[in-house]
């Protein structure tokens, strides 16, 4: 049970969905940010952006966000959940491009502290073909998910344990986007 009364059935509105419904004044811009960061017209693929969100959320031990964004990344990747699990378990041996690996290392650094992003990490990503825009977007996605992870866990929201919940949510988001999955 959440730490505060969100005024919703937590099983119907688990994770971030309950607090967003509770406070539409903040929920709406958060949903718009998620839509922009994860589905908007950025140079990184939607799958890569979802993988960054899943990776950071896993490092933050946020069950709801890690499960949700892992399912979304899996739905968008040809290799599915096995690749997501590999990235989360051992990034350095996961079969992803060198550029994505370098960007995920930057996302992992942001998860610890923005100050952990070193010139060496940035140089490695650039050497693998990352653009300034991709560096920017990776840092912003990682930072935003640190905030969302702390929001979800700080309010003690419910996280379903059944993977099929996240798979169904992923199918819905892939089909209609984030804005259309929570009415705020």
């Amino acid at each position: 049970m959440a730490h505060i009364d969100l005024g919703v059935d937590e099983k119907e509105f688990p994770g971030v969905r309950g607090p967003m419904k509770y406070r539409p004044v903040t929920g709406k811009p958060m949903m718009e940010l998620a839509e922009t960061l994860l589905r908007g017209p950025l140079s990184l693929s939607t799958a890569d952006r979802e993988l960054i969100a899943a990776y950071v959320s896993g490092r933050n031990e946020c069950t709801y966000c890690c499960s949700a964004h892992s399912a979304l990344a899996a739905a968008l990747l040809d290799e599915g959940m096995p690749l997501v699990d590999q990235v989360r378990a051992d990034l350095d041996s996961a079969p992803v491009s060198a550029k994505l690996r370098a960007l995920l290392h930057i996302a992992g650094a942001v998860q610890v502290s923005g100050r952990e992003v070193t010139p060496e990490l940035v140089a490695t990503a650039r050497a693998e073909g990352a653009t300034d825009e991709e560096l920017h977007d990776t840092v912003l996605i990682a930072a935003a998910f640190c905030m969302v992870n702390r929001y979800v866990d700080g309010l003690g929201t419910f996280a379903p344990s059944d993977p099929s919940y996240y798979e169904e949510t992923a199918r819905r988001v892939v089909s209609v986007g984030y804005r259309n999955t929570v009415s705020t």
Side-chain angles (χ1 to χ4, degrees), residues 102-126 135-136 138-140 142-143:
L103 292 171
L104 286 162
H105 277 294
I106 289 171
V110 170
Q111 181 267 330
V112 175
S113 167
R115 292 188 175 123
E116 293 293 313
V117 178
T118 63
E120 293 78 20
L121 287 171
V122 172
T124 298
R126 281 193 174 122
L135 290 161
H136 170 275
T138 297
V139 169
L140 183 55

Side-chain angles (χ1 to χ4, degrees), residues 48-98:
D48 289 351
R49 291 180 266 165
E50 289 289 354
L51 193 56
I52 292 167
Y55 182 70
V56 169
S57 297
R59 289 174 55 104
N60 281 326
E61 300 178 12
C62 181
T63 301
Y64 178 82
C65 294
C66 181
S67 299
H69 295 283
S70 291
L72 273 151
L76 295 165
L77 293 164
D78 292 337
E79 304 86 349
M81 192 59 79
L83 178 59
V84 175
D85 290 340
Q86 285 178 297
V87 166
R88 292 192 50 243
D90 184 7
L91 174 58
D92 289 327
S93 68
V96 296
S97 71

Side-chain angles (χ1 to χ4, degrees), residues 143-157:
F145 273 87
C146 287
M147 177 193 70
V148 174
N149 298 159
R150 285 158 179 80
Y151 182 50
V152 166
D153 289 341
L155 287 173
T157 64

